[in-house]
Amino acid sequence: MKTSDRRIFLLQLAACSAAVPLGARAEAAKVEETDPQAVTLGYRHDTTKVDKKKYPKHDAAQKCSTCQLFQGKATDAFGPCPLFAGKQVANNGWCSAWVKKPG
Ligand code: SF4
């Protein structure tokens, strides 16, 4: 390999390394409020936007971060929920399957 070829190869390698950092992983998609499962469960990204007429027992203190099914950390803006496999729900979200986290 000529010196110039090796230089080009090393520049290409550096460019590829910068474009795709090692250890990078795809972040799970966020649930859309229009997702059929979300519509069925009345999911909203913002618990204060829940339809009060449709869900009269809803309380604004109920949100995904206080739900037993939320799998993110309390400080995460979004986190996984088993009801929406492979997608993330909002920390401040809510759906009709909300169950108070123990403790
Ligand atoms: Fe949020 Fe709980 Fe409904 Fe999952 S089940 S979307 S964590 S309220």
Side-chain angles (χ1 to χ4, degrees):
M1 184 182 281
K2 293 190 299 187
T3 303
S4 61
D5 289 343
R6 186 165 56 198
R7 184 183 306 158
I8 290 169
F9 171 76
L10 291 173
L11 287 171
Q12 288 173 335
L13 183 64
C16 289
S17 298
V20 184
L22 292 176
R25 60 188 168 114
E27 187 174 308
K30 296 175 177 83
V31 170
E32 296 289 336
E33 291 180 342
T34 54
D35 181 296
Q37 173 82 337
V39 171
T40 299
L41 294 173
Y43 173 81
R44 298 300 303 265
H45 289 307
D46 183 347
T47 191
T48 65
K49 302 281 197 281
V50 171
D51 184 342
K52 293 281 187 196
K53 288 181 183 168
K54 196 170 181 182
Y55 302 102
K57 292 183 178 176
H58 169 263
D59 182 305
Q62 299 173 356
K63 52 187 179 178
C64 292
S65 62
T66 62
C67 176
Q68 193 170 349
L69 299 178
F70 188 65
Q71 297 176 334
K73 295 177 194 156
T75 54
D76 289 344
F78 283 82
C81 170
L83 298 187
F84 298 97
K87 295 184 179 171
Q88 298 199 337
V89 296
N91 179 311
N92 199 40
W94 181 88
C95 86
S96 58
W98 182 88
V99 180
K100 185 175 172 40
K101 190 180 280 188

